[in-house]
Amino acid sequence: MPRLGSIGAMRRKYRWFAVLMGAVVGLLWLGGWTHLRMDSKGRTTARVASAVSRFDSEMGDTVRPERRPSPDGTPAFPQAETSALLIPTGQVVPVKGATPEDRPRVVILGFDGADAHTVERLLREGRLPHLAELARRGTYRPLLPTNPPQTPVSWSSMATGLTPGRTGIFDFLKRDPRTYYPAFALNEEAPQTFLFGRANGPVAAVCVGLTVALLSWVGLRRTKRRGWRVFLPIVLGIAAGAGAGQLADRYLPYQVPQAVNHRQGKPFWAIADRHGLRAYVIRYPTTFPAEKLRHGFMLSGLGVPDIRGTIGQPTIYTDDASLLAQANEFSLKVELVDVVNTGGRIRTVVWGPRNKLYCDTRRADCRAFLEKRGQPVQFQEPLEIHVDSNARTVTVGYRHQSATLRPKEWSDWFVFTFRVHPLLKLRAIGRFYLIRLEPFLLLYLSPLHFHPESHPIPFTWPPDGSEWLMRQVGLFKTMGWDIDTWTITSGVVDEDHLLEDATWTVEKQRQILRTLLSRGDWDLYVQVFDFTDRVQHVLWRLIDPAHPLYDPARAQQYAREIERSYEEMDAIVGEAMERLPPGGRLLVVSDHGFTSFRRGMNYNTWLVQHGFMKLQGVQATELKTLEDLFIEGDFFEHVDWSQTKAYALGLGPIYINLKGREAQGSVEPGEEYETVRRALIHGLESYVDPVTGEKPVYKVYTREEMYPSGFDPDLIPDLRVAHTHNYRVSWQTTLGHVAPDVVEDNLRNWSADHCSAEPSLVPGILFANWPIRTERPQIIDVMPTVLRLLGLPVPSGLDGRPLE
């Protein structure tokens, strides 16, 4: 038996070496553990601490100013509820001409899509008493939106005081000039390499193997058998390294999902926060991931995805196979089940997040890689459905949760837990709704929201602020597009489903408003409601007798719902007025108005017919869908780019296929570029709808006309088509498809819009509880106005001007 060197001797003579190698291995595994490990709530404490530490270093060490206490005596949010680590301290920066005593507190209520024409009519009819009081005591003006008048575009410009050319948010969609593919413009996935990425296994194998080999050599240094000293450490090192490499390759991901917000510019709440003021920002669009506030609280709005990474994908469980074959532009997840042969006891699944820990699952090679590793492309959880035809009920069961539903009944929240990694669980919430039992089962599951306690990418700041809020108001929707408009637009549910979903959503958001406003420890409070937008999008067909889907019977039942949504808006304003502190300032704004969407324009079809786009082979007839956009899809498959001069993508943009910018550009910069633009402008503005005899195009704008203060020439489209009333870009043009006809009837329940309209035709609203002399305010004027109200310096170089 060889005599092994004692551990004591090793510690004495080789302590430095053991410590060094142990540190290498320890850091490798500890780094993986702290970076990836999440408790059942989905928190990543190490990542949060690192983010706050970086933020502190950027902002400097400061001292927290004295805050106003809440009226109920509770400590100022969120210091009492979260650790000091997550609430960095700050210092009030002195502002000339304003003191904490005379600075008014400011409340801004945003109502997405509140239309100036509708508001003015309802004011005349006496239906909006609180807004009427605001106008009487202060100001009402129509508010000019951005060009284009789209939700993320207008709200981004309002927050920063910059035109869309400078915020970089100019449409819901943008294109990648390298591939011509569309992408979500608000934010995008930007995976962060985890440790060494694909090299995690080899690096772990080398580190562990060398450590074991060298430690073995140290332990065997006194043995008399030279062979043992040489070969045994090598064997042990190889064995340990191979095992460690396999374990690391199996359990360490290659990447960690992250998100990047593309909005440029400094929003007014960030400037207020920098000057030591406390801002609450609730559900403001284009704020995901949640922005770091040293003193305040943010709950992100439009831009927060569902747990599957989409804008919101519902699931329909059905035994109607024809539903799979129907046009599904809005990407409902249809899960086919067998009711008859199972005796009504169905075992199916709930689909969760896609597996993004190793690669981009939108790519075929990634899906093949995951399959080879035995990894799922998309995670799932088992679900049981019991159909009782005699009792006319459906019972849904998941783990210890169950609900028995009759037709047109909702369940309470179900909490789903997806184990996406041995060290990582993600939790989601969703509600079931039984659409009908006969002749086929139709069971609806809402889009899956991230549970407020599961925030791998923060949608509140501080990151655990969603947990604090849940303790105050209960479970709430976390997804940006919080009211499901896709299912009714697809014709699967009726108006009751939409209205009940909207009512539940609005009441929870009003509860949040009451809870946070009543605290009274804020200097600036901002909250945006979107129900006014969603209801009009879908129900406008019932107030427009000329719309192709106008139904007199349904109109009699539901036409008043749009007006009721405005009355709900007025009631919310009344609640804010009651809670406004003495001397407080109240602004009520909207980002755009509305117009009917009767006919859709297929601009790629027009481009093909007029020689600006060339197709090759057989043009695909399958419709493009939201699933193509967010999950996996091909675009422009049959376009011959060498002979294509322009293409349309998004809600109005037209891009020139410019050499040096687009991957397969065919148009020379300079004179040819301008010639193509002039020809497009003339042709589109002259086009007459052969059915109605109307000109659908109000104007074709160049980007220089829209954004004279500047823009990114590689990002901003070369032209934008602005429509007259009753027209919009077709759904398929939005995703780059070439449809059979240039103009088509809009036969979808999504029957009103604003996204591609001429901005002056769809003004929003501006109410204030103080007089404003400016006659024609623009939405970009709100940001400098708010800063002036707060007594803060207005940055130079803004496009907006303070309202006088």
Side-chain angles (χ1 to χ4, degrees), residues 34 254 303 380 437 451 517 523 569 572 756:
T34 57
Y254 296 165
Q380 62 187 46
L437 278 167
H451 192 287
L517 267 186
D523 301 289
M569 173 182 73
I572 293 170
S756 64

Short mmCIF file of all heavy atoms in Angstrom, two decimals, residues 34 254 303 380 437 451 517 523 569 572 756:
data_model
loop_
_atom_site.label_atom_id
_atom_site.label_comp_id
_atom_site.label_asym_id
_atom_site.label_seq_id
_atom_site.Cartn_x
_atom_site.Cartn_y
_atom_site.Cartn_z
N THR A 34 -25.17 31.08 -9.00
CA THR A 34 -25.78 32.36 -8.64
C THR A 34 -26.40 33.04 -9.84
O THR A 34 -27.37 33.77 -9.71
CB THR A 34 -24.73 33.31 -8.03
OG1 THR A 34 -23.66 33.48 -8.93
CG2 THR A 34 -24.21 32.75 -6.72
N TYR A 254 -26.31 27.57 -22.30
CA TYR A 254 -25.36 28.33 -23.09
C TYR A 254 -25.64 29.84 -23.02
O TYR A 254 -24.74 30.65 -23.23
CB TYR A 254 -25.42 27.91 -24.56
CG TYR A 254 -25.01 26.48 -24.82
CD1 TYR A 254 -25.29 25.87 -26.03
CD2 TYR A 254 -24.33 25.73 -23.86
CE1 TYR A 254 -24.91 24.56 -26.29
CE2 TYR A 254 -23.95 24.42 -24.11
CZ TYR A 254 -24.25 23.85 -25.32
OH TYR A 254 -23.88 22.55 -25.56
N GLY A 303 -45.31 45.95 -24.30
CA GLY A 303 -43.95 45.48 -24.54
C GLY A 303 -43.63 44.26 -23.70
O GLY A 303 -42.80 43.44 -24.10
N GLN A 380 -43.91 22.23 -21.40
CA GLN A 380 -45.34 22.01 -21.25
C GLN A 380 -45.63 21.40 -19.88
O GLN A 380 -44.76 20.87 -19.22
CB GLN A 380 -45.86 21.07 -22.34
CG GLN A 380 -45.23 19.68 -22.31
CD GLN A 380 -45.62 18.83 -23.49
OE1 GLN A 380 -45.61 19.28 -24.62
NE2 GLN A 380 -45.99 17.59 -23.23
N LEU A 437 -70.08 23.93 -25.44
CA LEU A 437 -69.93 22.48 -25.41
C LEU A 437 -70.39 21.82 -26.70
O LEU A 437 -69.91 20.73 -27.03
CB LEU A 437 -70.74 21.89 -24.24
CG LEU A 437 -70.10 21.95 -22.85
CD1 LEU A 437 -71.13 21.64 -21.79
CD2 LEU A 437 -68.96 20.94 -22.78
N HIS A 451 -46.29 35.27 -13.63
CA HIS A 451 -46.77 35.46 -12.26
C HIS A 451 -46.03 36.65 -11.66
O HIS A 451 -44.84 36.83 -11.91
CB HIS A 451 -46.50 34.18 -11.46
CG HIS A 451 -47.19 34.14 -10.14
ND1 HIS A 451 -46.80 34.90 -9.07
CD2 HIS A 451 -48.25 33.40 -9.70
CE1 HIS A 451 -47.57 34.65 -8.03
NE2 HIS A 451 -48.47 33.75 -8.39
N LEU A 517 -52.18 55.92 -5.52
CA LEU A 517 -52.45 57.34 -5.35
C LEU A 517 -52.67 57.69 -3.89
O LEU A 517 -52.24 58.75 -3.41
CB LEU A 517 -53.69 57.74 -6.16
CG LEU A 517 -53.50 58.28 -7.58
CD1 LEU A 517 -54.83 58.75 -8.15
CD2 LEU A 517 -52.48 59.39 -7.63
N ASP A 523 -44.18 62.36 -5.99
CA ASP A 523 -44.14 63.69 -6.60
C ASP A 523 -44.76 63.68 -7.99
O ASP A 523 -45.30 64.70 -8.45
CB ASP A 523 -42.69 64.18 -6.70
CG ASP A 523 -42.01 64.25 -5.35
OD1 ASP A 523 -42.36 65.14 -4.56
OD2 ASP A 523 -41.14 63.41 -5.08
N MET A 569 -63.79 55.84 -18.44
CA MET A 569 -62.63 56.74 -18.41
C MET A 569 -62.95 57.96 -17.55
O MET A 569 -62.13 58.38 -16.71
CB MET A 569 -62.27 57.16 -19.84
CG MET A 569 -61.19 58.23 -19.93
SD MET A 569 -60.83 58.74 -21.64
CE MET A 569 -62.30 59.70 -22.00
N ILE A 572 -62.80 57.16 -13.88
CA ILE A 572 -61.42 57.04 -13.39
C ILE A 572 -60.83 58.42 -13.16
O ILE A 572 -60.15 58.67 -12.16
CB ILE A 572 -60.58 56.23 -14.39
CG1 ILE A 572 -61.07 54.77 -14.43
CG2 ILE A 572 -59.10 56.28 -14.03
CD1 ILE A 572 -60.47 53.94 -15.54
N SER A 756 -52.16 53.58 -39.43
CA SER A 756 -51.64 54.12 -40.69
C SER A 756 -52.42 55.33 -41.16
O SER A 756 -52.32 55.74 -42.31
CB SER A 756 -51.65 53.03 -41.77
OG SER A 756 -52.98 52.63 -42.06
#
